[in-house]
Amino acid sequence: MDQFTINLLFVGASFALYIGIAIWARAGSTSEFYAAGRGVHPVMNGMATAADWMSAASFISMAGLIAFVGYDNSTFLMGWTGGYVLLALLLAPYLRKFGKFTVSEFIGDRFYSSTARLVAVICLIVASVTYVIGQMTGVGVAFGRFLEVSNTAGLLIGACVVFAYAVFGGMKGVTYTQVAQYVVLIMAYTIPAVFISLQLTGNPIPGLGLFGDHAASGEPLLAKLDAILKELGFAEYTTHNGDTFNMVLFTLSLMIGTAGLPHVIMRFFTVPKVSDARWSAGWALVFIALLYLTAPAVGAMARLNITDMFWPNGTNGEAVSIEQIETDPRYDWMANWQKTGLLGWEDKNGDGKIQYYNDKSEAMQAKAAEKGWAGNELTNFNRDILVLANPEIANLPGWVIGLVAAGGLAAALSTAAGLLLAISSAVSHDLIKGSINPGISEKGELLSARIAMAVAIGVATYLGLNPPGFAAQTVALAFGLAAASIFPALMMGIFSKKINNSGAVAGMLAGLIVTLVYIFLHKGWFFIPGTNSFTDADPLLGTVKSTSFGAIGAAVNFGVAYLVAGMTKETPQEIKDLVESVRIPRGAGAAQDH
């Protein structure tokens, strides 16, 4: 059986499972559409939350960014994990006790203002649409390779699949679909990692193998990787080479952005009790840790395998020949990925070999001149392909490659569905029912939610064709927007009685606008290529990149909110009493229903 057929079997079987679950769990009421009827078991909700959380950025892109940058990109791991802890401890139980369906509804009621609710809807939509662009990018990469179609065609196919099970299932269908998707994606991520760790270190646990010895040379694996990269003119894998201030800001942006992500917060509205929200958070952290503890090993081992592929005779020997790439079955992965447009190479000096090195390094430029090299000949290696290509690079069995295909798609589709649900809930429940037409029937509200989700899929697909960066980088922009707009409002809403409606609205708008403008200045207005005034390599404010600005935007939000609240009318006493009741644990087992 050829690899394409194996891929189709794995991907087709997983899709049949997801769509079958969505039909079985189709939402029949607004309570089931928005909150799964509040009947999800904490362990099941933990798995669904983990699947919602571990998106294309985590599964497909994160290890690739770590592999090609090393220590400095460990910020993704620290920021996302730390942020989930913030969410679990500071926000989730209190929001569940409040007993509403959506984040915007909480903000509207807490700040006793339909304007605050509307601004929260705008913030949520902007952050969620940016986030879903990254997911659709990952969908296009995975479909493009494993169905052997173009990246664009893959993205369009993925959009149709998301539409098929997210629009009709709502939160109820998405929840149980995500449980299945978690099982698929965690197996797809860890099984290849175990194989590769055994190959390189003899240790079946990737996280331990990372700090073990390289089996072929007897050297510590990380020391060998550092030495090889240094010889090729790249920065050492384990050293800190970037700007520390930007690194701290980026980690903080990811942390507080995580705690402000509406599609993850919504998961805690689906359990029966507040105590179940806490247990859900604990189980989700366990399930997330299985992937996050493996990701650094996947990145390091993949980078070592790639350099070995291009320098099979060692870095002091000859580079791989074009003839070997075309005839040796171990290099078939290169031709497979070249078809997607995400991998490319060129024999610039006509010597029949492909030299892969850092041609911007002064030391390597001198070596290249001596040897007659004409620059780095691995002209394109999209970092989003690394995890998906890893089993092929390591020459693992065909069924493992098929499993990874299913896992990559599960990761992207699960988060895309959660985001689209957050967007549709904001439009139908908070915007239409909350402001435009309060008397809308339940049937009409469900219809408007499904229409909103279909429109959101269309917008995300269009923008996903020209994303502003790799999947994880695009997602980082969304985290910055959530950090600057939603997180401060939630924190002040729960823990501060001083912030009134005027302060909340002014803070959210200030944080969102200043962050959005900073991002557009660096990534192009509305992400249109060529309209940017600065780049992340040469940013506007010192060393602060667009992906790191969310923490500054959050500080602006807090500052403006407190300033405006101090200059305007005091928060009403009944709202202060409401804040007090939300924060008191007594009676938490009987959370207020909608």
Side-chain angles (χ1 to χ4, degrees):
M1 189 181 296
D2 63 22
Q3 187 60 54
F4 180 69
T5 305
I6 294 173
N7 294 344
L8 284 181
L9 286 174
F10 273 89
V11 173
S14 64
F15 283 175
L17 175 64
Y18 306 152
I19 294 172
I21 291 172
I23 293 171
W24 165 73
R26 181 175 178 176
S29 67
T30 52
S31 178
E32 288 182 340
F33 191 91
Y34 296 133
R38 302 199 194 278
V40 182
H41 190 277
V43 176
M44 298 280 280
N45 197 46
M47 295 177 77
T49 304
D52 217 347
W53 173 244
M54 292 187 297
S55 60
S58 290
F59 188 101
I60 295 175
S61 193
M62 181 175 64
L65 290 171
I66 293 172
F68 282 91
V69 175
Y71 172 82
D72 285 343
N73 268 354
S74 62
T75 47
F76 284 99
L77 290 167
M78 294 186 290
W80 283 338
T81 307
Y84 187 81
V85 175
L86 276 182
L87 171 62
L89 295 178
L90 295 182
L91 297 181
Y94 302 107
L95 291 173
R96 175 60 190 94
K97 189 179 180 187
F98 198 80
K100 297 299 180 179
F101 280 152
T102 67
V103 171
S104 308
E105 194 173 14
F106 165 78
I107 291 175
D109 285 5
R110 160 58 185 87
F111 295 111
Y112 51 99
S113 166
S114 58
T115 303
R117 185 171 180 169
L118 178 62
V119 171
V121 169
I122 294 169
C123 295
L124 183 151
I125 290 174
V126 170
S128 297
V129 168
T130 306
Y131 199 148
V132 85
I133 294 170
Q135 306 316 303
M136 300 311 286
T137 302
V139 168
V141 171
F143 267 114
R145 162 63 188 95
F146 295 110
L147 297 184
E148 297 184 8
V149 295
S150 69
N151 194 46
T152 299
L155 198 154
L156 295 174
I157 294 170
C160 293
V161 174
V162 173
F163 182 90
Y165 76 81
V167 170
F168 297 106
M171 179 61 87
K172 185 178 179 183
V174 166
T175 295
Y176 293 108
T177 301
Q178 286 174 335
V179 171
Q181 287 170 327
Y182 174 78
V183 174
V184 172
L185 75 85
I186 201 65
M187 289 175 61
Y189 202 86
T190 54
I191 288 175
V194 169
F195 271 106
I196 294 169
S197 183
L198 278 170
Q199 281 182 355
L200 293 178
T201 68
N203 193 320
I205 303 175
L208 297 178
L210 177 65
F211 299 100
D213 291 337
H214 184 239
S217 65
E219 301 174 58
L221 183 135
L222 287 173
K224 180 174 178 58
L225 180 57
D226 276 346
I228 290 175
L229 293 179
K230 192 173 181 180
E231 289 170 7
L232 294 176
F234 296 103
E236 290 186 357
Y237 194 82
T238 57
T239 57
H240 173 42
N241 301 290
D243 176 73
T244 302
F245 178 64
N246 183 75
M247 188 176 182
V248 170
L249 274 184
F250 182 60
T251 305
L252 185 58
S253 294
L254 291 182
M255 285 180 67
I256 61 177
T258 297
L261 284 176
H263 76 289
V264 176
I265 294 172
M266 283 178 66
R267 294 242 52 92
F268 297 102
F269 299 152
T270 65
V271 292
K273 298 180 296 184
V274 175
S275 60
D276 292 337
R278 294 191 179 96
W279 278 107
S280 293
W283 279 111
L285 203 54
V286 171
F287 294 131
I288 289 168
L290 294 178
L291 188 147
Y292 273 39
L293 291 173
T294 305
V298 171
M301 293 175 185
R303 186 71 184 277
L304 187 58
N305 274 335
I306 289 167
T307 54
D308 283 343
M309 293 288 283
F310 282 93
W311 296 95
N313 304 304
T315 51
N316 292 320
E318 293 292 330
V320 65
S321 67
I322 293 178
E323 181 183 2
Q324 187 172 2
I325 291 173
E326 293 174 347
T327 59
D328 189 337
R330 292 183 305 141
Y331 289 83
D332 285 349
W333 68 275
M334 292 183 65
N336 293 335
W337 281 100
Q338 187 185 35
K339 294 174 187 174
T340 67
L342 301 172
L343 180 72
W345 60 94
E346 178 188 355
D347 182 14
K348 295 177 181 178
N349 61 351
D351 66 351
K353 297 178 175 60
I354 300 298
Q355 284 90 22
Y356 165 56
Y357 66 99
N358 182 11
D359 54 10
K360 298 189 173 48
S361 162
E362 290 184 11
M364 290 305 294
Q365 286 171 359
K367 184 176 179 179
E370 179 187 331
K371 292 182 172 288
W373 298 346
N376 177 29
E377 296 180 337
L378 181 59
T379 54
N380 180 24
F381 194 113
N382 187 296
R383 296 173 188 185
D384 284 347
I385 76 172
L386 185 129
V387 169
L388 299 177
N390 217 10
E392 297 173 271
I393 296 171
N395 201 29
L396 298 184
W399 66 269
V400 178
I401 297 171
L403 180 62
V404 169
L409 292 168
L413 295 175
S414 62
T415 303
L419 288 163
L420 292 165
L421 188 61
I423 293 169
S424 70
S425 300
V427 172
S428 62
H429 190 67
D430 295 313
L431 186 60
I432 295 177
K433 184 175 182 179
S435 301
I436 298 173
N437 184 11
I440 190 173
S441 67
E442 185 169 291
K443 185 177 179 181
E445 188 179 349
L446 274 176
L447 178 62
S448 65
R450 285 168 173 148
I451 292 172
M453 190 180 288
V455 172
I457 290 173
V459 172
T461 302
Y462 173 76
L463 293 173
L465 294 172
N466 292 290
F470 301 115
Q473 292 172 328
T474 306
V475 166
L477 297 175
F479 277 71
L481 292 167
S485 59
I486 299 170
F487 173 76
L490 294 176
M491 286 293 291
M492 291 184 290
I494 294 170
F495 295 105
S496 176
K497 299 176 186 177
K498 293 181 180 179
I499 303 301
N500 58 16
N501 53 357
S502 301
V505 169
M508 283 189 289
L509 286 174
L512 177 67
I513 291 169
V514 72
T515 305
L516 204 54
V517 168
Y518 197 82
I519 288 172
F520 285 160
L521 285 171
H522 292 76
K523 297 295 183 182
W525 291 92
F526 302 100
F527 301 133
I528 298 172
T531 60
N532 58 301
S533 304
F534 304 91
T535 66
D536 282 334
D538 185 21
L540 170 62
L541 296 179
T543 59
V544 181
K545 298 181 180 180
S546 59
T547 49
S548 308
F549 192 80
I552 296 176
V556 170
N557 188 330
F558 278 115
V560 169
Y562 274 97
L563 181 65
V564 172
M567 298 167 60
T568 50
K569 193 174 179 181
E570 189 178 354
T571 304
Q573 186 58 45
E574 62 268 22
I575 299 299
K576 293 181 180 179
D577 295 339
L578 176 66
V579 173
E580 189 70 22
S581 70
V582 168
R583 282 165 33 191
I584 294 175
R586 185 174 63 250
Q592 177 189 342
D593 200 356
H594 181 69

